[in-house]
């Protein structure tokens, strides 16, 4: 109903104004509308108070469209505000503990103020120019997974599942925005060093500790090492390079392959045998197969044989190789010269 106005007449008591009875009815109609709109028809709600410039609402339920700036002063613990139209809520702290703020057509802005809720904040998107803070152990999720992200008091962020970024996307910090780049092929490129804790490990789903980097820099592999490039450069920091090959029993013993010293100025290439067998060193007493000795390409002595020249002898054909001078051949021939058969047998 529109506000009803009492006619005052042209001059005092000229009989042209509203009568007392009709005027009282108009006044009653106006107050009835106010009391019905702001209360139960008999009394105004105790949640409404007003001063010359401010109307205060306690735990209100506001519906309809609110355009412009809606100011909340103090704390609202059970307010319900619906169908907002690009409304700005400012000038205080809005604490909604048992109600709701719903926006169906515009945007809700909190300018320099706080929004505190003990329930769930459901939004399509959040834009903030400041910090977005949650309590220690705070979680962010969606309808299917309530705790997609958990923020610990230490600042560590734990994700319940995968993290996906676009092809060629980057991850960084304020000083290095592209510290990591992940290509569409899955290759990760770092612009600087990668550091892990002492004795930290690198692995995969099957072998979590495939690689361990100890505090002193030693790298421990839990399984085989494959080098597809075909070249292993083993350098050092002032001592000859070595490779140790350990036995199968608790790594109790090891044989060492070692490079020649700098003074030898060697760049020799050692080619391994084509057939299976055992390599013999200068300190070994093992057996060297006769076929392994190739004298065809040797250099001729270039002089007559002398009694001091050495030959190799299989001592008594028992498998023990010894050296002998040619003088022993002369002695053998002299002892058996009269018996050609014995000499032939002696010479094999």
């Amino acid at each position: 109903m529109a506000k009803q106005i009492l006619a005052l007449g042209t001059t005092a008591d000229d009989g042209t104004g509203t009568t007392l009875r009709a005027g009282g009815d108009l006044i009653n109609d106006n107050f009835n509308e106010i009391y019905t709109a702001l209360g139960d028809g008999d009394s105004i709600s105790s949640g409404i108070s007003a001063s010359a410039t401010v109307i205060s609402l306690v735990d209100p339920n506001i519906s309809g469209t609110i355009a412009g700036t809606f100011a909340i002063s103090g704390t609202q613990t059970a307010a319900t505000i619906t169908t907002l139209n690009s409304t700005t809520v400012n000038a205080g702290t809005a604490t909604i503990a048992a109600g709701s703020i719903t926006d169906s057509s515009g945007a809700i802005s909190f300018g320099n103020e706080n929004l505190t809720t003990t329930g769930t904040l459901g939004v399509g998107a959040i834009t903030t120019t400041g910090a977005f803070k949650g309590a220690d152990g705070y979680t962010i999720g969606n309808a299917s997974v309530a705790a997609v992200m958990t923020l610990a008091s230490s600042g560590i962020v734990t994700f319940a599942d995968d993290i996906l970024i676009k092809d060629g996307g980057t991850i960084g910090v304020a000083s290095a925005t592209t510290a990591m780049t992940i290509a569409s092929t899955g290759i990760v490129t770092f612009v600087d060093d990668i550091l892990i804790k002492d004795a930290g490990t690198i692995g995969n789903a099957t072998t979590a500790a495939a690689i361990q980097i100890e505090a002193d820099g030693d790298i421990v592999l839990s399984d085989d090492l494959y080098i597809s490039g075909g070249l292993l450069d083993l350098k050092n920091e002032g001592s000859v390079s070595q490779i140790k090959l350990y036995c199968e029993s608790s790594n109790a013993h090891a044989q060492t392959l070692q490079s020649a010293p700098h003074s030898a100025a060697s760049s020799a290439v050692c080619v391994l045998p084509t057939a299976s067998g055992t390599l013999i060193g200068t300190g070994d007493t093992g057996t060297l197969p006769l076929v392994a000795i190739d004298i065809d390409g040797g250099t001729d002595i270039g002089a007559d044989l002398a009694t001091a020249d050495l030959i190799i002898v299989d001592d008594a054909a028992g498998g023990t190789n010894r050296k002998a001078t040619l003088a022993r051949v002369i002695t053998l021939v002299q002892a058996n010269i009269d018996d050609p058969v014995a000499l032939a047998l002696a010479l094999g």
Side-chain angles (χ1 to χ4, degrees):
M1 157 186 105
K3 181 175 71 172
Q4 301 187 78
I5 305 298
L6 276 70
L8 301 180
T10 304
T11 61
D13 300 324
D14 64 358
T16 62
T18 304
T19 65
L20 290 176
R21 179 178 177 80
D25 184 54
L26 292 177
I27 293 172
N28 284 340
D29 287 344
N30 285 335
F31 274 103
N32 284 338
E33 182 165 330
I34 293 173
Y35 272 66
T36 300
L38 300 181
D40 58 5
D42 294 323
S43 60
I44 294 178
S45 173
S46 60
I48 300 176
S49 60
S51 66
T53 57
V54 177
I55 298 176
S56 300
L57 307 177
V58 177
D59 297 337
N61 188 326
I62 303 173
S63 62
T65 300
I66 302 175
T69 299
F70 178 69
I72 296 180
S73 177
T75 299
Q76 303 300 318
T77 59
T80 300
I81 306 174
T82 61
T83 319
L84 298 179
N85 183 15
S86 299
T87 297
T88 300
V89 181
N90 58 22
T93 298
T95 301
I96 311 298
S100 63
I101 297 178
T102 303
D103 171 33
S104 60
S105 60
I108 304 173
S109 300
F110 293 87
N112 300 320
E113 308 303 333
N114 300 320
L115 170 64
T116 302
T117 176
T118 59
T120 299
L121 178 64
V123 295
I126 297 177
T127 301
T128 176
T129 57
F132 187 81
K133 299 179 181 179
D136 291 345
Y138 181 77
T139 61
I140 300 175
N142 54 32
S144 301
V145 182
V148 173
M149 295 170 53
T150 301
L151 289 74
S153 58
S154 60
I156 295 175
V157 180
T158 303
F159 294 85
D161 211 321
D162 300 333
I163 303 174
L164 301 179
I165 66 174
K166 67 179 183 179
D167 291 345
T170 61
I171 300 174
V173 295
S175 301
T177 56
T178 58
M180 294 171 53
T181 301
I182 305 177
S184 59
T185 57
I187 295 175
V188 180
T189 302
F190 296 85
V191 298
D192 212 323
D193 300 333
I194 303 174
L195 302 179
I196 65 174
K197 67 178 183 179
D198 290 346
T201 60
I202 302 173
N204 54 31
T206 304
T207 307
I211 302 174
Q212 178 173 319
I213 304 177
E214 298 181 344
D216 59 2
D218 289 345
I219 299 177
V220 180
L221 305 180
S222 64
D223 211 323
D224 300 332
L225 171 64
Y226 294 93
I227 303 177
S228 60
L231 176 63
L232 174 62
D233 277 333
L234 190 60
K235 298 185 178 182
N236 58 71
E237 296 180 350
S239 58
V240 293
S241 297
Q242 296 178 337
I243 298 178
K244 288 190 174 183
L245 306 175
Y246 286 84
C247 68
E248 78 286 354
S249 179
S250 301
N251 298 310
H253 310 94
Q255 287 79 49
T256 303
L257 292 177
Q258 178 174 302
S259 62
H262 171 72
S263 58
S266 175
S267 297
V269 176
C270 297
V271 180
L272 295 175
T274 57
S276 299
T278 301
L279 295 177
I280 299 176
T282 56
D284 287 333
T285 58
T287 300
L288 179 65
L290 183 61
V291 295
I293 303 176
D294 181 10
I295 65 173
D296 292 340
T299 302
D300 188 84
I301 192 172
D304 294 336
L305 295 176
T307 55
D309 291 340
L310 296 175
I311 59 174
I312 299 174
V313 177
D314 184 358
D315 191 9
T320 301
N321 296 328
R322 299 185 184 279
K323 67 179 182 178
T325 64
L326 288 179
R328 293 185 180 276
V329 176
I330 296 173
T331 301
L332 175 64
V333 172
Q334 289 175 343
N336 296 277
I337 192 66
D338 295 331
D339 188 350
V341 175
L343 178 59
L345 292 174
L347 295 176

